Every structure is written in C-alpha cells, then in structure tokens.
C-alpha cells in the first residue's frame, strides 16, 4: 500500500505537469531496485517448519489430510477478487460518476490500508483471525454497495473508507490463518494461498470485467453503438455500468460470510482457536 500511495501521487504529479509516462516508469523503478538490493543482501532465518525438522513429505501430507485448508484456499479466490477487482475500476468509474480523479481515491484507500494494518494485532487478539475475516467481508460488501451509490466526492470517500477498512486485512489475514492453523504446511501452504490470490486475477476478475462490459453495452443499446456515442452519452453509460458492477461485486464478500461465520462460531463453541505450534518433529501442540 505504501508503494501505491507514493507511486500514485507521483503519477498524478507527472500527469499534471504533462511529463512523459516513461518518466513515471523510471521513478517507480528506483524504489524497486533499492528493495531488490535489500533482499539480495539480507540473511533470512529458516522457516518454522525447517527449524522443527518437518520434512517435505510431512509438509505435503499435512495439506492432503486437512480439508479445512482447501476451504480457506477456495475463499482466497473471492477475498482477492473483492480487493483487486474494484481497484481496477475506481479510476475510470469515479472519474465519470463524481467528477474526480479516481486515482486520488485509490491513493487514499492505499494509505488507509497502510495505517489500518498496524492495528490488526489488537483486533485479532479480541475476535480472532477468522472473526476479523468475517467483519472484513461484511465491511467490504457494504462499502462496495455504497460505492455504487456514490454521486459526490464526499460519499465516494466515505464508501471507499468502509471498503478500504474491509479489504485491507483480507490478504494478510488469510495468510495468517493458514500460518496459525497449518504450520506444518510450511512454505507450500503459504505459496498455495498466494497462488490462489494470483489466479483470482486470471479467472475471477475477467468475469467481473464482463459484467462491466455487458452493463455498458446494455446502457448504450448494443456493443456496436459504443463507438458512436458522444462524450456526454459515454459518461452516462459508464455511470450506469459502474453502478451495476460495484453492486455485482458487493455480492462476492457477502458470499463468504456463512463460511467464516460457521468457522468462527465453531471455534468460539470450543473455547476459541489457539494458533498451532510445531513441537517435536511429527507433533503439533496448542499454544
């Protein structure tokens, strides 16, 4: 999020000065090179799995015998989509709907995510990681629906705040859940979760993009008539498509509420879930 904030502000500044986009790319490459140097020169400790002596075979076996992992893995497709898909539309949609640069709203949400993630620990300590996912999905769904109703900058910022608070915890908390519940899964478990989030871009986001395109064609009276629309008419078409798209995507995090809700209630019924800690090789103990 911090990188998006800095990059977004730089992009707005460069666009405002009329400078070539190649300069923006060059500026964005500089912090990337610094981070690459930091990673290349750092010494990382061994993982918990390696330190505990859990073999590769045990790591694979852990995932195969724990069906709950695959439930979270499937959920990762939708949580990633709830975060990533609206971010693709914010610029073009809100620029037409409320007459402001959508990139500014995206920068604001990224800054909000950067700040809010520093407070995840106390929240998890009170309601657990799964409880946080339930609350996050609820806030994300409400925020997306309110974004579809935004007709002024003030309402857009208010809706984006609710959505941002919801999605800011999703990706890291999903990884934290896997780390807490399946520590013997090691890097394989974490990598599969990241893979699911990445594949959401490939499989889920295009379906959501199709909703936007379909709504835009419907508002124009047919896809073949889009090219001949005036600027004013195109603005109205995009406005209609934005409302339909945000409302459709709002359903995605809401679909996950029963899943996280059932797991949260089950954990609460059993005294609350405590993170698993790898003991001696081949054993798990509760923290």
């Amino acid at each position: 999020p911090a990188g998006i904030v800095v990059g977004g502000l730089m992009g707005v500044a460069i666009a405002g000065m009329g400078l070539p986009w190649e300069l923006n790319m060059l500026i964005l490459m500089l912090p990337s090179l610094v981070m690459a140097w930091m990673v290349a020169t750092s010494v990382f400790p061994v993982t918990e799995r390696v330190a505990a002596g859990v073999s590769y075979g045990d790591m694979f076996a852990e995932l195969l015998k724990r069906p709950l992992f695959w439930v979270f893995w499937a959920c990762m497709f939708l949580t990633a989509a709830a975060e990533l898909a609206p971010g693709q539309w914010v610029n073009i949609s809100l620029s037409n709907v409320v007459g402001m640069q959508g990139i500014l709203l995206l920068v604001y949400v990224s800054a909000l995510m950067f700040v809010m993630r520093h407070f995840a620990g106390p929240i998890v300590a009170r309601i657990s990681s799964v409880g946080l996912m339930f609350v996050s999905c609820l806030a994300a769904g409400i925020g997306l629906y309110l974004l579809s109703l935004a007709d002024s900058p003030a309402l857009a910022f208010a809706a984006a705040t609710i959505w941002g608070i919801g999605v800011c915890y999703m990706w890291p908390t999903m990884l934290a859940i896997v780390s807490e519940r399946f520590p013997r899964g090691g890097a394989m478990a974490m990598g599969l979760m990241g893979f699911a989030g990445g594949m959401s871009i490939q499989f889920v986001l295009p379906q959501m993009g199709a909703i936007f395109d379909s709504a835009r064609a419907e508002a124009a009276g047919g896809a073949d008539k889009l090219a001949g629309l005036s600027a004013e008419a195109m603005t109205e078409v995009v406005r209609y498509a934005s409302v339909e798209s945000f409302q459709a995507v709002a359903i995605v995090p809401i679909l996950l509420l029963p899943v996280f809700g059932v797991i949260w209630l089950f954990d609460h019924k059993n005294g609350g879930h405590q993170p698993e800690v790898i003991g001696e090789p081949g054993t798990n103990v509760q923290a």
Side-chain angles (χ1 to χ4, degrees):
I4 296 177
V5 172
V6 175
L9 292 176
M10 287 182 176
V12 172
I14 290 175
M17 293 185 291
L19 298 177
W21 64 267
E22 291 87 352
L23 180 59
N24 192 16
M25 291 296 296
L26 178 61
I27 293 176
L28 291 176
M29 286 180 63
L30 295 178
S32 300
L33 293 174
V34 172
M35 293 185 65
W37 175 80
M38 293 174 63
V39 171
T41 57
S42 299
V43 178
F44 296 94
V46 298
T47 64
E48 181 184 10
R49 178 193 66 83
V50 174
V54 178
S55 68
Y56 276 99
D58 290 337
M59 179 173 64
F60 281 96
E62 172 75 359
L63 302 183
L64 293 176
K65 68 182 182 181
R66 303 286 294 275
L68 184 58
F69 168 80
W70 300 104
V71 173
F72 288 120
W73 184 78
C75 290
M76 187 67 174
F77 278 87
L78 298 183
T79 58
E83 175 182 352
L84 300 176
Q88 305 292 319
W89 297 336
V90 163
N91 193 358
I92 184 174
S93 300
L94 295 183
S95 295
N96 287 274
V97 174
V98 301
M100 62 179 292
Q101 289 192 53
I103 187 63
L104 294 177
L105 195 62
L106 186 59
V107 169
Y108 165 70
V109 170
S110 298
L112 179 68
M113 292 170 68
F114 175 76
V115 173
M116 293 298 296
R117 284 178 177 176
H118 286 79
F119 300 95
I123 299 175
V124 170
R126 179 174 292 272
I127 64 174
S128 82
S129 298
V130 174
L132 177 57
M133 285 304 303
F134 181 90
V135 175
S136 294
C137 288
L138 181 61
I142 294 174
L144 286 171
Y145 183 78
L146 292 178
L147 276 172
S148 73
L149 304 178
D151 57 4
S152 68
L155 182 56
F157 271 98
T161 299
I162 299 174
W163 169 62
I165 292 175
V167 300
C168 77
Y169 298 118
M170 284 185 170
W171 192 292
T173 304
M174 290 298 290
L175 296 179
I177 289 173
V178 170
S179 178
E180 290 177 352
R181 292 174 180 261
F182 317 102
R184 295 173 64 84
M188 177 61 67
M190 302 294 282
L192 283 172
M193 293 299 289
F195 172 80
M199 286 298 97
S200 176
I201 300 175
Q202 177 68 26
F203 295 110
V204 180
L205 263 61
Q207 301 303 318
M208 296 181 178
I211 296 174
F212 183 88
D213 292 338
S214 176
R216 190 174 59 166
E218 178 185 348
D224 56 324
K225 297 182 179 180
L226 286 171
L229 294 178
S230 63
E232 182 178 352
M234 180 60 75
T235 299
E236 290 301 317
V237 166
V238 172
R239 185 192 304 273
Y240 173 81
S242 299
V243 170
E244 293 295 313
S245 300
F246 280 125
Q247 289 184 356
V249 180
I251 299 175
V252 173
I254 299 301
L255 290 175
L256 295 173
L257 291 179
V259 180
F260 291 122
V262 168
I263 298 174
W264 191 14
L265 289 174
F266 180 81
D267 288 343
H268 182 73
K269 182 179 179 180
N270 290 274
H273 178 266
Q274 295 297 323
E276 294 183 9
V277 176
I278 303 176
E280 295 299 324
T283 65
N284 275 352
V285 296
Q286 295 291 316

